[in-house]
């Protein structure tokens, strides 16, 4: 049985804990500083430990003796958590979308005897697995476009948005440069730029640059693709209002105030939908072709409702851990999302959430 130290007992952390615990293949201990959140899991028979998650020494004491650390803490704690895993000889998995944190983790994994696999969520994460799988089928790749949105099913405000995941992560991706490949060259595009519109299943959307969604794809496909980019999907009008807040009101320079405003003024929702849309074009057998992969994953209602972002994010990291346990991924050093075979992911008991959920729509 694989012993897991799960850091974070928030919405995503609780979902991960329940999924891994239910299999019987993992001995899960959840670490968090919130006794309230931990008590919910403890009542379900899942082991918990109250720990100051911002204190590296406390984290090390909590994770020591486990086989792996699964980090579901806010992105700014990723480096601290990875360092604790390294020093305790644990494998490491996380959900971070932060580019700087990923590069730091990549460096510490270089000579490590254990495995380090960050960015195991939806985007970065599943979206990169899909794009890499499609691109490999071409003799010559021209364009790779990745579009992902976690959206309220019933938008009612001017932003056409409700909180469906971490406010910290949301603002972080709106404020940092965005890696891309354009004309064969690596570039850093501006966040909130590159606005485009498209429709899917009769619904209108907009998409624009945000940071972190590509993971390591720019490095993997450097010199092999003409154009490669990632954009976040929202309902039309959202981007312009966010630019007003971040640029015209200068809240990009006071992100904590903006986060506080959003937490106080914007209701969270469990009624959401996750949209995944990937297009790859290029030459195959002498012909210019395009392949498309699209999914819509909806929230689950029931005794324990799950939002679509909970389902997709938890499925991503649980699948990574499960495939690692099965020996289908490298067992040490830095593991990229591109190391995951899409068929293995979708056949996995956790990854099936992207295939078998009721109301999933696909074009592949």
């Amino acid at each position: 049985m694989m012993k897991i130290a799960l850091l974070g007992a928030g919405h995503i952390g609780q979902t991960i804990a329940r999924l891994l615990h239910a299999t019987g293949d993992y001995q899960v201990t959840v670490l968090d500083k919130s006794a309230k959140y931990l008590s919910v899991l403890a009542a379900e028979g899942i082991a918990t430990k109250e720990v100051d998650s911002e204190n590296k020494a406390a984290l090390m004491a909590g994770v020591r003796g486990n086989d792996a650390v699964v980090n579901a803490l806010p992105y700014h704690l990723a480096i601290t958590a990875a360092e604790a895993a390294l020093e305790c000889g644990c494998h490491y998995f996380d959900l971070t979308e932060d580019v700087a944190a990923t590069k730091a983790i990549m460096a510490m994994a270089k000579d490590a005897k254990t495995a380090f696999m960050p960015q195991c969520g939806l985007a970065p994460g599943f979206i990169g697995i899909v794009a890499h799988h499609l691109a490999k089928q071409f003799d010559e790749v021209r364009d790779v476009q990745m579009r992902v949105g976690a959206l309220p099913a019933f938008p009612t405000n001017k932003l056409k948005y409700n909180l469906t995941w971490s406010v910290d992560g949301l603002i972080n991706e709106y404020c940092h440069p965005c890696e891309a490949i354009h004309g064969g060259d690596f570039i850093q595009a501006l966040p909130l730029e590159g606005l485009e519109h498209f429709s899917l299943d009769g619904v209108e959307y907009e998409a624009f640059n945000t940071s972190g969604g590509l993971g390591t794809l720019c490095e993997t496909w450097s010199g092999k693709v003409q154009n490669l980019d990632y954009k976040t999907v929202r309902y039309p009008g959202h981007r312009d209002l966010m630019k007003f807040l971040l640029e015209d009101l200068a809240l990009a320079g006071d992100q904590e105030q903006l986060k506080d405003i959003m937490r106080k003024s914007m209701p969270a929702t469990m009624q959401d939908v996750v949209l995944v849309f990937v297009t790859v074009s290029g030459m195959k057998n002498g012909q210019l072709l395009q392949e498309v992969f699209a999914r819509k994953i909806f929230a689950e209602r029931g005794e324990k409702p799950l939002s679509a972002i909970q389902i997709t994010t938890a499925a991503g990291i649980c699948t990574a851990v499960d495939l690692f346990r099965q020996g289908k991924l490298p067992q040490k050093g830095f593991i990229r999302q591109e190391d995951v075979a899409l068929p293995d992911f979708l056949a996995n008991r956790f990854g099936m959430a992207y295939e078998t959920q009721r109301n999933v729509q696909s074009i592949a």
Side-chain angles (χ1 to χ4, degrees):
M1 182 178 290
M2 191 173 184
K3 296 176 69 177
I4 300 290
L6 172 58
L7 311 183
H11 287 302
I12 301 298
Q14 289 194 13
T15 306
I16 295 168
R18 293 183 180 110
L19 288 174
L20 293 178
H21 176 75
T23 66
D25 293 326
Y26 298 93
Q27 182 179 326
V28 181
T29 303
V30 184
L31 284 63
D32 199 286
K33 62 183 180 181
S34 170
K36 177 182 176 183
Y37 290 158
L38 291 174
S39 66
V40 175
L41 294 171
E44 299 175 23
I46 299 173
T48 63
K49 190 177 293 186
E50 190 173 342
V51 169
D52 181 359
S53 50
E54 299 193 23
N55 184 304
K56 182 179 170 182
L59 279 181
M60 288 179 61
V63 306
R64 188 172 283 112
N66 286 277
D67 299 309
V69 171
V70 175
N71 178 17
L73 294 169
Y75 76 90
H76 65 272
L77 296 174
I79 295 175
T80 299
E83 288 175 343
L86 178 66
E87 294 182 32
C88 291
C90 301
H91 304 295
Y92 176 82
F93 302 82
D94 78 22
L95 300 167
T96 188
E97 76 288 343
D98 189 71
V99 175
T102 300
K103 292 186 184 302
I105 293 168
M106 185 183 296
M108 71 177 73
K110 186 176 181 182
D111 299 314
K113 296 179 181 179
T114 51
F116 286 76
M117 189 175 186
Q119 305 184 315
C120 296
L122 168 61
F126 180 72
I127 190 72
I129 296 169
V130 171
H132 185 67
H133 174 79
L134 292 184
K136 287 194 302 180
Q137 300 176 29
F138 288 82
D139 302 319
E140 175 189 331
V141 183
R142 292 194 180 180
D143 300 298
V144 179
Q145 297 181 333
M146 288 162 279
R147 309 292 182 256
V148 172
L151 301 162
F154 308 105
T156 57
N157 54 44
K158 292 291 185 181
L159 274 173
K160 299 178 183 176
Y161 192 74
N162 292 90
L163 298 181
T164 61
W165 63 294
S166 164
V167 177
D168 293 311
L170 178 72
I171 301 305
N172 185 57
E173 72 172 16
Y174 282 177
C175 293
H176 287 84
C178 313
E179 294 182 341
I181 295 175
H182 181 71
D185 296 325
F186 173 83
I187 66 168
Q188 288 201 322
L190 292 174
L192 303 181
E193 297 298 333
L195 182 65
E196 63 186 36
H197 293 85
F198 69 95
S199 61
L200 183 66
D201 296 333
V203 180
E204 295 294 323
Y205 301 99
E206 67 180 23
F208 48 87
N209 300 334
T210 56
S211 72
L214 285 178
T216 54
L217 279 176
C218 281
E219 295 179 12
T220 299
W221 284 92
S222 177
K224 305 173 188 175
V225 62
Q226 283 297 301
N227 302 294
L228 182 152
D229 64 20
Y230 169 86
K231 296 183 180 182
T232 285
V233 177
R234 296 286 184 257
Y235 295 117
H238 177 90
R239 193 286 306 248
D240 288 346
L241 288 174
M242 287 308 304
K243 278 179 70 72
F244 170 74
L245 292 169
L246 290 164
E247 297 178 8
D248 293 358
L249 296 187
L251 288 173
D254 190 356
Q255 294 179 28
E256 292 307 315
Q257 182 178 353
L258 178 56
K259 293 174 190 176
D260 189 52
I261 291 170
M262 295 188 76
R263 290 189 184 104
K264 290 180 177 177
S265 306
M266 188 164 292
T269 184
M270 296 289 286
Q271 296 173 287
D272 64 339
V273 57
V274 163
L275 170 64
V276 177
F277 191 60
V278 181
T279 63
V280 179
S281 63
M283 301 301 295
K284 189 186 295 187
N285 299 322
Q287 185 178 6
L288 180 62
L289 296 173
Q290 176 177 275
E291 294 286 344
V292 178
F293 180 103
R295 292 288 189 276
K296 276 187 178 179
I297 300 96
F298 296 85
E300 290 183 358
R301 312 303 294 169
E303 183 180 346
K304 281 194 171 122
L306 287 174
S307 67
I309 194 63
Q310 280 179 287
I311 293 166
T312 52
T313 304
I317 198 165
C318 288
T319 300
V321 173
D322 218 29
L323 293 176
F324 177 82
R325 185 186 63 85
Q326 295 166 5
K328 294 182 179 181
L329 293 174
Q331 297 296 292
K332 67 177 182 178
F334 188 81
I335 306 176
R336 302 169 187 265
Q337 295 304 311
E338 298 92 290
D339 292 324
V340 180
L342 180 62
D344 287 346
F345 186 104
L346 294 176
N348 182 268
R349 53 186 166 181
F350 302 118
M352 285 179 180
Y354 282 90
E355 285 280 39
T356 60
Q357 191 198 17
R358 195 161 61 98
N359 290 331
V360 169
Q361 305 178 20
S362 67
I363 307 168

